Amino acid sequence: MNKNEFKKRRKALMEQVGNGNIAIVASASNHTRNRDVEFPFRQDSDFYYLTGFNEADSLAVFIPGREQGEYILFCREFDEKKALWEGAHAGLEGATEHYKADDSFPIDDMDEILPGMLENKAKVFYPMGRDPDLDHQLLEWITKIRKQSRNGINAPGELVSLEHLLHEMRLFKSTEELKLMRRAAEVSGIAHIRAMQKCQPGLYEYQIEADVVHEFMQQGLRYVAYPSIVAGGKNACVLHYVENKNKLNAGDLLLIDAGAECDHYAADITRTFPISGTFSPAQKQLYQLVLDAQYAAIEQIKPNKPWNNAHDVSVKVLTTGLVELGLLKGSVAKLIEDEDYKQFYMHRIGHWLGMDVHDVGDYKVDGEWRLLEPGMVLTIEPGLYIPENCESVDGKWRGIGIRIEDDVLVTKTGHEVLTYAAPKEIDEIERLMQAN
Ligand code: GLY
Ligand code: MN
Ligand code: MN
C-alpha cells in the first residue's frame, strides 16, 4: 500500500477528531501458542489502517494541531540482539523515517509521556472497550491528571468511541484498497478452481485445504483471511466446520469457504461442488435454487438500495423454491412470515468485507437499514442446509449443505463481482472437473 494512502487517512481522521482533542489506537499484541512459540502475528486492522506499521507493542497517538507534530508513534526501540532472534523492526528512527510519524517514543516510556499529551485535551477518542488493559490505563492516566487540577491542568472530560469515525472511513474502499481486494479475490478464485481440479473421492478434506492454501501462497499471498472451511457431505450443514478431517465420499458435495488476505484485505468465497464431478439430480435442483437466489440478491446491489433488500430477496427465492421442491409446505408468504425457511437458511445474506472478513461499519442508520453507496464491499452468500436427521423432507435431500458466496463492490451504476474467477454455474463446474 502506498505510504500516501496512510497519510491521507490520518489527515481525514484528524479533521474529524478536531483541534484540542486526542485520538489513541493500540497495535495488536503477540499471543503465546505454547511456551516459546507464538501464534502468527496479525496487526490490528484499525491500527494498520492508520499507520501501515506491522509491529506489536506499538501505540499511535493523533493530536490535531500539536506544534511539535500531530502523529506520534510509540514503539519498540531498535535492539540488535532482538533483531538477530526475531528479525528487523523499525525502531524509533524507522518510525519517523519510514512510517512518517512526526515524533516517536519508546513504548516502555508510554506511562511517563502519554499523560502529558492528555493534559488539557477536551476529548479522548479511542477504541472503547476493546482492550481492557488500555481502558484501564487510560482511566489511570486521567485520574493522575485530575490530581493536578489545582495547578491549572485539566483532565479530558469526555471519552469518545473512535470506532464510529474510523469504521465509517473503512467502510468505503479507495482505489488503492480495491486493488488489494481484487488481488485477494482473484487469487482466492484460482484457489477454488485448483480445489475443484484436485478433488477426488477418497481424499481427505485437509488435503483439499492444502491445495487451496498452496495456491494462495504460490501466488504470493501468505495468509488466509479466516480458517478455511472444507466440508464434505453433511459436514457442510455445520456452518463453521473447520475440523476438515473427514474422507471425501463419491456422491457427496464438497463445500469450501476459503479466502486469502492480500496486504491485510480479505477475500471470502464459498463454492460447493460434487466430489466425483457430477451433481446428482437432487443436488442439482437444490444447487440451482441457491444459485438463483444468489443472482437475485446480487441484482439488488446498487446505490440507494437498502442493505437488507438482498437478504429479503434471497429469502423469497429460496422459500418459493423449497415449496416447489416439496421441502416446505404451505403458502410462501406465511412460511416467510413465520420464518419457517430458517430451518434450512438460518444465516443472513452476507456482511461488509474489507480488512476484516466480517468488516466494520454500521448496517443500520437511525434504526433503518442503511442504503448502499459506491465503494462499499459486501458478500452475498445464500445457502441451504438440510439436516441429516430432518424427517419432514424426502431422504434424497437430507445431509445436503450448499452455500455460494461472492464478494461484491457497489459501483456508481450498480455492482462489480470481485470474485468472478471462481466458476459457479453447474455446467461450468462439471466441465472443469471432468476435464481432469
Ligand atoms: N467465511 C466467513 C463467512 O463467510 O462469513
Ligand atoms: Mn462471508
Ligand atoms: Mn465465507
Side-chain angles (χ1 to χ4, degrees):
M1 176 80 71
N2 185 320
K3 291 246 169 10
N4 268 334
E5 179 89 1
F6 295 110
K7 199 170 162 186
K8 261 195 268 177
R9 295 169 179 175
R10 291 193 290 267
K11 188 163 176 278
L13 179 80
M14 280 196 263
E15 275 167 14
Q16 296 182 73
V17 167
N19 282 5
N21 301 320
I22 182 171
I24 299 174
V25 190
S27 72
S29 307
N30 280 310
H31 295 281
T32 303
R33 185 170 188 271
N34 51 35
R35 295 177 71 84
D36 296 334
V37 179
E38 286 173 347
F39 283 106
F41 177 72
R42 169 57 159 79
Q43 187 56 283
D44 176 83
S45 295
D46 284 339
F47 183 86
Y48 193 81
Y49 182 82
L50 292 168
T51 64
F53 195 67
N54 205 16
E55 293 183 24
D57 302 327
S58 314
L59 184 100
V61 180
F62 305 97
I63 311 179
R66 178 175 177 260
E67 269 174 29
Q68 312 91 302
E70 297 178 311
Y71 166 35
I72 303 110
L73 203 49
F74 286 85
C75 63
R76 294 175 298 199
E77 287 182 273
F78 185 78
D79 176 339
E80 224 160 284
K81 210 159 142 201
K82 207 173 170 72
L84 191 67
W85 283 83
E86 294 171 22
H89 48 284
L92 302 184
E93 266 177 39
T96 51
E97 200 162 310
H98 300 301
Y99 295 92
K100 306 299 173 201
D102 297 316
D103 226 342
S104 56
F105 297 101
I107 191 76
D108 292 338
D109 295 350
M110 183 172 73
D111 217 17
E112 283 110 71
I113 298 171
L114 230 160
M117 293 178 169
L118 291 167
E119 286 176 5
N120 299 320
K121 302 294 181 300
K123 297 179 190 173
V124 184
F125 290 79
Y126 84 109
M128 221 182 270
R130 204 157 77 201
D131 174 353
D133 287 345
L134 184 62
D135 285 341
H136 181 74
Q137 211 158 25
L138 194 56
L139 290 180
E140 263 189 7
W141 291 328
I142 290 174
T143 309
K144 199 163 145 189
I145 302 168
R146 283 224 177 99
K147 291 191 181 136
Q148 301 183 57
S149 65
R150 262 176 270 164
N151 301 332
I153 296 170
N154 290 322
E158 248 184 274
L159 299 180
V160 186
S161 163
L162 177 71
E163 270 123 326
H164 192 70
L165 300 184
L166 200 50
H167 293 178
E168 202 55 25
M169 288 168 63
R170 279 179 54 191
L171 181 56
F172 295 90
K173 275 65 181 180
S174 68
T175 309
E176 289 292 317
E177 290 178 292
L178 288 172
K179 272 188 208 161
L180 301 175
M181 293 193 75
R182 283 200 176 88
R183 176 96 185 112
E186 188 188 16
V187 169
S188 303
I190 296 170
H192 279 263
I193 293 175
R194 183 182 171 96
M196 289 176 194
Q197 288 170 330
K198 296 282 178 181
C199 185
Q200 297 274 351
L203 288 177
Y204 284 83
E205 291 164 342
Y206 52 77
Q207 290 178 293
I208 299 297
E209 180 181 13
D211 274 304
V212 169
V213 174
H214 171 99
E215 198 63 46
F216 293 169
M217 290 204 189
Q218 286 297 335
Q219 302 266 356
L221 305 190
R222 164 92 194 277
Y223 295 107
V224 291
Y226 53 92
S228 308
I229 296 170
V230 182
K234 64 177 169 34
N235 292 342
C237 298
V238 180
L239 292 184
H240 292 153
Y241 177 80
V242 287
E243 286 180 293
N244 301 355
K245 66 174 189 193
N246 287 158
K247 206 181 220 179
L248 300 173
N249 299 316
D252 280 349
L253 294 176
L254 175 60
L255 181 153
I256 300 182
D257 185 348
E261 194 170 81
C262 178
D263 192 5
H264 299 82
Y265 286 84
D268 184 7
I269 306 184
T270 307
R271 289 293 182 264
T272 310
F273 55 87
I275 287 166
S276 45
T278 312
F279 287 90
S280 73
Q283 290 166 348
K284 210 180 245 187
Q285 284 177 302
L286 275 191
Y287 184 91
Q288 191 59 49
L289 177 54
V290 177
L291 189 58
D292 291 345
Q294 205 224 15
Y295 281 131
I298 290 175
E299 269 311 298
Q300 297 299 313
I301 305 306
K302 50 183 108 164
N304 294 320
K305 283 271 184 186
W307 146 261
N308 203 43
N309 274 25
H311 182 72
D312 290 345
V313 164
S314 71
V315 166
K316 196 152 186 202
V317 174
L318 290 175
T319 308
T320 307
L322 288 169
V323 170
E324 279 168 14
L325 295 176
L327 285 94
L328 286 177
K329 292 179 183 60
S331 95
V332 171
K334 183 88 168 68
L335 291 165
I336 292 177
E337 194 190 318
D338 295 346
E339 301 188 335
D340 281 333
Y341 63 85
K342 280 195 175 170
Q343 51 184 311
F344 305 126
Y345 177 37
M346 59 296 279
H347 58 73
R348 294 193 61 79
I349 190 70
H351 47 83
W352 304 130
L353 182 74
M355 299 184 82
D356 298 342
V357 64
H358 288 185
D359 207 29
V360 295
D362 293 334
Y363 291 91
K364 280 192 169 178
V365 176
D366 298 330
E368 298 291 330
W369 291 111
R370 178 167 208 151
L371 300 183
L372 297 175
E373 294 176 61
M376 294 172 165
V377 180
L378 47 107
T379 66
I380 294 291
E381 49 180 307
L384 284 175
Y385 314 90
I386 320 298
E388 203 193 13
N389 59 0
C390 183
E391 295 193 349
S392 67
V393 304
D394 191 291
K396 67 182 176 182
W397 309 116
R398 291 182 202 159
I400 296 181
I402 297 167
R403 180 165 62 254
I404 307 172
E405 175 174 30
D406 281 302
D407 304 344
V408 184
L409 163 69
V410 185
T411 63
K412 281 197 186 113
T413 52
H415 61 257
E416 177 189 330
V417 177
L418 304 178
T419 39
Y420 63 89
K424 60 182 176 184
E425 289 288 336
I426 289 176
D427 57 350
E428 255 185 307
I429 292 174
E430 289 189 341
R431 235 182 297 127
L432 179 84
M433 294 187 71
Q434 288 160 15
N436 283 287

